[in-house]
Amino acid sequence: MTINTLARGGWDREQMACFQKMEKVIVAMQDPDMGMKMRNQRLLITVIPHAMTGRDMITWLIQKYCICEEEALHISGMLVRYGYVYPLKEPRSLVLRPDESPYRFQTPYFWTSTRWPASELDYAIYLAKKNIRKQGELMEYEKERYSVLHKRINHTWDFVVMQAREQLRASKQRRKADRIVLECQEQAYWLINRPQPGAHNVLDMGLERPNNLSARVTLVSDIITFLYVSYVPVPFVKYSEQYQNHDPIMQGCLPSNPWISDDTAYTRVLGHLVLLVPAFAAPVDLVERWSFSFMELLNDIMGRREFMIYLEKEFSAENLCFWQACEDIRHGESSRIVEKVEEIYKNFLTPGAARWVNVDSKTMDKTLKGIRHPHRFVMDDAQMHIYFLMKKDSYPRYLKSDLYKNLLAKAIMNCPTCLFVLSACSPS
Amino acid sequence: MRSPRVPEMATQEVQPNETLTHLKTESDTLKTKLEEERAKLHDVELHQVAEKVDGLGQFIMKTRRTLKGHGNKVLCMDWCKDKRRIVSSSQDGKVIVWDAFTTNKEHAVTMPCTWVMACAYAPSGCAVACGGLDNKCSVYPLSLDKNENLAAKKKSVAMHTNYLSACSFTNSDMQILTSSGDGTCALWDVESGQLLQSFHGHAADVLCLDLAPSETGNTFVSGGCDKKANVWDMRSGQCIQSFETHESDINSVRYYPSGDAFASGSDDATCRLYDLRADREVAIYSKESIIFGVSSVDFSLSGRLLFGGYNDYTINVWDVLKGTRVSILFGHENRVSTLRVSPDGTAFCTGSWDHTLRVWA
């Protein structure tokens, strides 16, 4: 065989990692102690040694990795697709059959990772050998490729034919069994590296990722020693526990998961608010979540509206209006920043303004200074001050208010499958 | 008690008389010192704290919808806030808007380039953004008139010097965040196409990004081919935190619902969880039998489950707290390239190189 001297410079990093891992599995499978049991397989009139069945592989994988049959079938299927194992009975069908079908391990010489990338020269020699051996044995697509190669590397064609002849001569001197094995191995290699048109190409990597590693070295200087405290990741457990009942994938959702039941008839009805767009989440669920955090309340459109109604009753709606106006600047068009900042100043910050917001003097001074040269983040400090004001004061009071409690009760009432709760939770 | 953040790293050009090896040794020594300090404390691992938590039962999730219509590999998808519409993009340049519930196609646009690797739905539901090998991110307003040619109203917003790998609207239709193969991320004003902020720090292609759901809403995380996940301050453009524990390209990053952590998926076949306040990796989700890289990750609504789409055509579902795999889902016939949980958490959608999208519940 020709020795492939092409450098591995263009090798895809991702594929290399996968190949190495698959090779580890293959090596483990062939371990004399813990590996699979091999046997001789009959192929027509020849006996092929060191073969195993699809069923053997699956059983071994299930035991080794403690996985289910479906996953073992999938993994062994990948090993076949990538050419580490090839079928003896139907060589062109790179599929793993979970029965007594015989398979063999590919020799490392023919691992795709060993001979990467597959060279045109080698492919030409392979096709030439097939052609010489049995005239017309080439398949249609192979004939086409053969003639394309003939044109493209015409200058080395003498070498190709000479090599092909030489390899055929050498193989004739081998025992029949060895010869068949070698032919199978070579064929398996090319089925993967030059797949039939229309066949699944496992070596399709997608786009190249040009790895433009910078030549600059980042020097880490002036690291101030900082205090470490022992780390106990309790917050994640708490958060997940709080939200678990509201996780539709985990706990199901009321009245049903629409993707499973195909039911969009359920529309949200919350007292005086009716949404026209069918929404899937049960309002009980949502209204409850408003009580988990201020962010949950503000991030939900209905929550924000309800909160605004409450604030209006308390004569502190200007805070939420201010906050919304600041959000609008932060995330809005650059061209309207100046205009919006002026609006905010007029409506919320001028002394005696109709909707004056109570910001501490330090923040107010800083903001007023910043307004002279308005930019996207000029309201950040004031916005944060008002946000925390609402969070610490208005928000907890809202959750204790009759407004919220009535809403929650109504939501429970409106939930069809919650009717059984009615007896326990009488509407006020 | 919070640990104060490491201040910004000062960067210097290499002096001609300093050798690369000398600098590398210095940085390695510092890293070892830090690890030694960390090891002295008695940190409790996430799965240890989670020991008292109930285990999860069997999960039966199936494909509930299959969206067929792309003529080539599906590369990216995003949900609309209305919880049923989806935008998807593919290698052949097509961007399609679907009603995933009925599986009907509502809009289709053909981009002037192939490999549309990024697409995003605007918060209002009235526009989509997409881009790829054209190095740009363009916004298409969605019209109610099905016959209208969407391509005519196209607006070019972002310009990079290499392929666009990901894009996302911020809290409004007016701003877009992009990441690119040119190693940078950038924030753009949609109306004017003006660059508002650029983010430099990755040493190679940036492949993914996600916006933080925090109260102050000012940060985002990005992952790249330099194996790093960086957290950025959107206002200043500074990288405020950096994590480098993956062994290969990071294909996907996604915030934990509370915003205190984020997960990443990489070509090294692992997913990892990073705690932002503790400034460290807190969990690795991997299995010996999982050989192929992770292309995309997303959390379930409560953050208890992490879904990963893999290059071996499967989806693995992980128990975030206990670190164990809960389920493996089969169905796609080629790589899973993109995965997103729906806004109300009732389902998740995957896109694959097998030309289809599937909704699972």
Side-chain angles (χ1 to χ4, degrees), chain A residues 20 26 57 86 115 147 154 162 164 166 173 177 181 215 222 264 266 271 283 298 300 324 338 343 360 392 409 413:
Chain A
Q20 282 172 349
I26 292 292
M57 280 205 281
Y86 60 89
R115 308 168 61 70
S147 57
N154 195 275
M162 188 186 76
E166 190 51 41
Q173 295 178 343
V181 162
D222 296 337
T264 45
Y266 194 79
L298 282 189
D300 183 55
Q324 280 182 167
V338 176
E343 277 289 309
D360 68 282
K392 289 205 179 93
M413 247 173 56

Side-chain angles (χ1 to χ4, degrees), chain B residues 173-240:
Chain B
D173 286 17
M174 297 290 120
Q175 282 184 323
I176 286 189
L177 190 59
T178 58
S179 66
S180 164
D182 65 12
T184 70
C185 300
L187 183 66
W188 310 83
D189 176 64
V190 173
E191 192 193 37
S192 61
Q194 188 194 10
L195 172 70
L196 298 172
Q197 184 63 260
S198 70
F199 306 89
H200 297 259
H202 278 289
D205 309 21
V206 186
L207 299 177
C208 51
L209 58 83
D210 192 33
L211 281 149
S214 76
E215 294 179 303
T216 45
N218 260 337
T219 60
F220 73 95
V221 63
S222 66
C225 288
D226 57 357
K227 312 176 200 170
K228 285 212 203 119
N230 289 340
V231 181
W232 309 85
D233 178 295
M234 277 170 74
R235 191 177 154 167
S236 63
Q238 293 296 312
C239 172
I240 51 181

Side-chain angles (χ1 to χ4, degrees), chain A residues 231, chain B residues 38 45 243-246 272-275 279-284:
Chain A
Y231 172 65
Chain B
R38 272 202 174 128
E45 293 305 318
F243 303 88
E244 191 177 353
T245 61
H246 270 294
R272 294 172 197 239
L273 187 70
Y274 298 91
D275 184 330
D279 191 32
R280 59 183 283 220
E281 173 194 286
V282 298
I284 303 182

Side-chain angles (χ1 to χ4, degrees), chain A residues 186-197:
Chain A
E186 198 181 15
Q187 179 181 45
Y189 174 79
W190 289 112
L191 277 173
I192 287 158
N193 284 274
R194 290 285 186 272
Q196 196 163 344

Side-chain angles (χ1 to χ4, degrees), chain B residues 248-283:
Chain B
S248 189
D249 302 1
I250 298 178
N251 295 314
S252 172
V253 285
R254 194 73 65 210
Y255 272 93
Y256 185 78
S258 70
D260 296 326
F262 69 90
S264 59
S266 159
D267 278 345
D268 67 6
T270 69
C271 301
R272 294 172 197 239
L273 187 70
Y274 298 91
D275 184 330
L276 291 166
R277 288 177 304 182
D279 191 32
R280 59 183 283 220
E281 173 194 286
V282 298

Side-chain angles (χ1 to χ4, degrees), chain A residues 287-305:
Chain A
V287 176
E288 249 179 43
R289 272 164 58 190
W290 296 347
S291 65
F292 288 175
S293 75
F294 190 37
M295 202 165 71
E296 281 283 350
L297 177 69
L298 282 189
N299 281 345
D300 183 55
I301 303 174
M302 301 208 83
R304 212 188 277 195
R305 257 184 264 176

